[in-house]
Amino acid sequence: MALKSGECRGFGDCAPLPAAGTEQPEEVAAVLGAVIDAIRGRTAGRCSDLIQTLTGTPALRCGLETGLLDLIGRCTNQPVYRLLGAAAPPVVHVNALIGMLDAGAVQRATRAQAQGYRVLKIKMGALPPDLEIRRLRNLSARLPAGISLRLDANRAWNLPTIRYMFEALRNLPVESIEEPLHFPSPGRISRLQRTSPWPVALDESLARGGAGEYLSRPTVARVVLKPMVLGGPVAAMALARRARQQGMRAVVTTTLDSAVGRFAALHLAAAVDSGLAHGLATGGWLRTDLATGPSTRFGRMPLSSVPGLGIEMRDPGGWDRPAFFAGTPTREIQ
């Protein structure tokens, strides 16, 4: 989607993925026309206020919010990461996505470390625990020192399985464990973090309004922030600040975002500045894309001071229903 003010045009990505916690695509289609009509002719501040009322459609809100940030950045000659609070163009470290522990996992992990990635994310819980442990040990033995494993269980384990897995994983280079508990709650996950040898991270638990109960007090060491699921970069940045106040560090990741969404998540990761590797290297999942996405070199994504998202669309004239608003954009997004 595109937003336009004068000669400036900003682009946003709305990529609903219900499996990740967003609305259905049909829900976006049902309200998009009315939203476009509502923001037409409004100033940036009024558009932002309206976008923040879209609580039931986080992917749509993310697309509109990203487009507004890109537009404001282009009109005011500022990169989006500066609008979100980062001062200088940083380099963002990213993890490699290895996937599940199938027959090709060792080859993918070896290739990723040769490309300069130092953190490898592996999906757990798809296979029997004994088999996953054997394959994880085999994979770890083939990697050089300094490579760490970020394990994502996707809520696959009950408490007995967690106790077994924690004991079996102790001598492996585990960096963190994401969503291990099948039925999490703030109290249960907090008790688990106190007994875990590694940082525990929350992801799915934060979707669809669940962030409030987990961020009202210290629960885990990390939170995983997906702008497409949480309602956009500004909403995700607000959660990152709340998490930091509770002593939690944030990791920014994407779902199946286009190049536009990945650039937005990259700017957010730069503003979060948690010192952790972020999950942004997902462009390889797409056969085609709207533009060239962020480049990755030696496990890092650089950012320039180009205004807005810093992205050039391949065919911006083909965006069929841009939303227009009048007036000069504000210089800051609150």
Side-chain angles (χ1 to χ4, degrees):
M1 59 185 61
L3 300 173
K4 185 178 180 183
S5 177
E7 297 302 314
C8 292
R9 189 185 296 243
F11 296 94
D13 180 19
C14 173
L17 186 65
T22 75
E23 70 273 32
Q24 297 283 345
E26 294 79 9
E27 295 179 75
V28 174
V31 302
L32 180 57
V35 172
I36 288 177
D37 290 340
I39 66 176
R40 194 183 305 272
R42 292 176 179 257
T43 61
R46 295 180 67 191
C47 281
S48 180
D49 291 342
L50 188 147
I51 290 169
Q52 291 181 38
T53 67
L54 301 174
T55 56
T57 51
L60 174 57
R61 174 173 164 172
C62 181
L64 292 167
E65 191 173 270
T66 299
L68 186 60
L69 285 168
D70 188 28
L71 177 65
I72 292 173
R74 291 174 188 248
C75 289
T76 61
N77 201 36
Q78 297 182 89
V80 166
Y81 64 76
R82 190 162 294 152
L83 296 175
L84 293 172
V91 173
V92 174
H93 291 262
V94 295
N95 64 249
L97 297 169
I98 306 305
M100 63 180 291
L101 289 165
D102 57 16
V106 171
Q107 182 180 11
R108 294 192 298 272
T110 303
R111 183 168 59 246
Q113 68 86 21
Q115 293 170 343
Y117 291 95
R118 310 302 291 173
V119 180
L120 311 182
K121 184 170 182 177
I122 297 173
K123 291 289 185 179
M124 304 288 289
L127 302 171
D130 286 343
L131 178 57
E132 287 192 328
I133 290 297
R134 287 199 302 272
R135 291 186 174 181
L136 202 59
R137 285 172 176 164
N138 178 53
L139 184 151
S140 299
R142 295 168 181 263
L143 296 174
I147 303 297
S148 58
L149 306 177
R150 181 174 286 177
L151 307 182
D152 184 359
N154 287 118
R155 294 184 170 184
W157 300 334
N158 57 26
L159 281 175
T161 303
I162 287 175
R163 285 192 286 268
Y164 170 78
M165 295 298 286
F166 278 17
E167 184 61 32
L169 293 169
R170 282 186 183 276
N171 295 323
L172 298 181
V174 176
E175 187 251 13
S176 62
I177 296 184
E178 186 177 318
E179 289 283 1
L181 195 56
H182 188 53
F183 294 110
S185 69
R188 296 182 80 202
I189 204 74
S190 179
R191 289 190 293 272
L192 182 63
Q193 177 64 90
R194 289 195 294 270
T195 62
S196 171
W198 314 280
V200 174
L202 292 176
D203 179 3
E204 296 94 330
S205 299
L206 306 180
R208 293 287 186 169
E213 60 178 338
Y214 286 99
L215 299 184
S216 61
R217 59 186 175 90
T219 50
V220 293
R222 296 184 185 177
V223 292
V224 178
L225 305 179
K226 293 186 171 82
M228 196 66 64
V229 174
L230 298 173
V234 173
M237 188 69 208
L239 292 180
R241 293 190 182 103
R242 288 184 62 185
R244 186 181 303 155
Q245 290 171 354
Q246 299 294 350
M248 309 178 203
R249 300 168 78 184
V251 173
V252 178
T253 70
T254 50
T255 56
L256 291 178
D257 302 10
S258 74
V260 178
R262 298 197 305 278
F263 263 109
L266 175 58
H267 283 267
L268 172 63
V272 167
D273 192 24
S274 63
L276 299 172
H278 299 272
L280 310 177
T282 56
W285 294 353
L286 303 179
R287 180 173 298 176
T288 60
D289 211 334
L290 300 172
T292 301
S295 61
T296 306
R297 185 173 177 80
F298 301 116
R300 296 184 291 272
M301 286 184 176
L303 266 172
S304 71
S305 56
V306 174
L309 292 174
I311 191 171
E312 292 298 329
M313 304 304 299
R314 288 175 179 158
D315 182 21
W319 292 59
D320 55 358
R321 281 205 68 187
F324 295 86
F325 62 89
T328 302
T330 58
R331 297 186 64 86
E332 296 180 355
I333 300 295
Q334 301 297 327

